[in-house]
Amino acid sequence: MLEIAEELGFSTVALTVQDVKASPPEVVSPEGLRVVWRIDLKPEEAQPSLLARLRRRYTVIAASCSSRREFRRALRTRVDLVFQDRPFAMNLSDARVLSLSGKFFELNLKPLMHIEGVEMARLLRHLRRSVRSLRKLDIPVVVSSWASEPHELTAPLELPQHLALVDVNPHECYGWVSENPAKLLEVCESRRIGLPEGVRILEV
């Protein structure tokens, strides 16, 4: 899959672990493709002591949310990224709290490839409302394919095309697959080496 990702034009790929007791395994990536590791936590797991340990092993720490209550709880933690494990419509109030938290939000497009009928209609309704709120408050969004099989991989510049289903001009969202992921990694690396909030390494 890493070889296919490199051929499709990815420069960086994040591989995910969901077990806090696990350590990232060694991987050999194609030349020109950077591999970083992320861990997905439940909001209740994101305690300061655990996050401090995990930052030594993982570049990105994310929180998965399956309800508005979990979403609000995750925003009070020091994770880098939040995403909806079970999609729900984000309203403007949710987006305001997200904006104040300084966290990035991940849009997982994988469900669009696997559901249909009533479930698809419900998901599109949720996504349409959420994306409208995210754009209105200029939330830093990262679009992900969440691919676990080779056939689920999509070229990075083609990922925004899926957002046409929720009435978004894909050209307006190319930063969600290029600039924002780069900014996220910059923030995460700064936190990983203990730089104060607001201080970033721009060049070595």
Side-chain angles (χ1 to χ4, degrees):
M1 285 185 66
L2 292 177
E3 292 178 354
I4 295 174
E6 193 273 334
E7 292 173 0
L8 289 174
F10 285 91
S11 60
T12 304
V13 171
L15 302 181
T16 302
V17 171
Q18 295 177 319
D19 183 357
V20 297
K21 297 179 180 179
S23 294
E26 293 292 331
V27 296
V28 178
S29 62
E31 185 177 352
L33 181 69
R34 179 189 179 193
V35 172
V36 300
W37 285 95
R38 69 179 255 184
I39 185 165
D40 292 350
L41 306 174
K42 292 295 183 182
E44 62 270 17
E45 295 177 315
Q47 301 301 318
S49 58
L50 177 59
L51 294 182
R53 294 198 303 272
L54 292 175
R55 286 210 182 277
R56 294 193 289 267
R57 287 182 281 162
Y58 297 95
T59 301
V60 181
I61 301 178
S64 64
C65 310
S66 57
S67 67
R68 179 166 284 105
R69 181 178 180 180
E70 287 191 349
F71 176 74
R72 292 297 183 99
R73 183 172 183 175
L75 296 182
R76 295 195 296 269
T77 70
R78 292 182 61 81
V79 300
D80 311 306
L81 179 74
V82 294
F83 66 94
Q84 295 179 347
D85 182 46
R86 186 176 303 165
F88 61 88
M90 184 187 303
N91 57 37
L92 197 56
S93 175
D94 296 325
R96 286 196 182 98
V97 178
L98 174 58
S99 177
L100 292 172
S101 76
K103 292 174 176 48
F104 286 70
F105 182 81
E106 181 181 49
L107 272 178
N108 171 15
L109 299 182
K110 185 173 181 176
L112 293 176
M113 306 175 189
H114 295 282
I115 63 175
E116 56 187 14
V118 175
E119 289 187 8
M120 172 66 86
R122 185 182 299 114
L123 174 61
L124 291 178
R125 185 170 64 251
H126 290 339
L127 285 176
R128 189 174 293 112
R129 185 176 179 183
S130 295
V131 168
R132 188 163 54 240
S133 297
L134 292 165
R135 294 174 67 209
K136 189 169 185 177
L137 292 180
D138 198 26
I139 305 293
V141 176
V142 174
V143 173
S144 170
S145 66
W146 262 56
S148 57
E149 300 288 344
H151 70 272
E152 294 174 341
L153 284 169
T154 302
L157 293 182
E158 292 179 10
L159 283 171
Q161 301 295 332
H162 295 285
L163 296 175
L165 296 171
V166 291
D167 303 329
V168 173
N169 182 344
H171 295 284
E172 297 177 20
C173 302
Y174 282 130
W176 294 5
V177 296
S178 56
E179 296 173 8
N180 286 354
K183 290 178 182 176
L184 172 63
L185 291 179
E186 180 184 300
V187 169
C188 293
E189 291 289 1
S190 297
R191 289 174 179 167
R192 195 176 187 185
I193 63 175
L195 290 181
E197 286 296 320
V199 178
R200 301 286 178 262
I201 296 178
L202 299 180
E203 187 174 353
V204 178

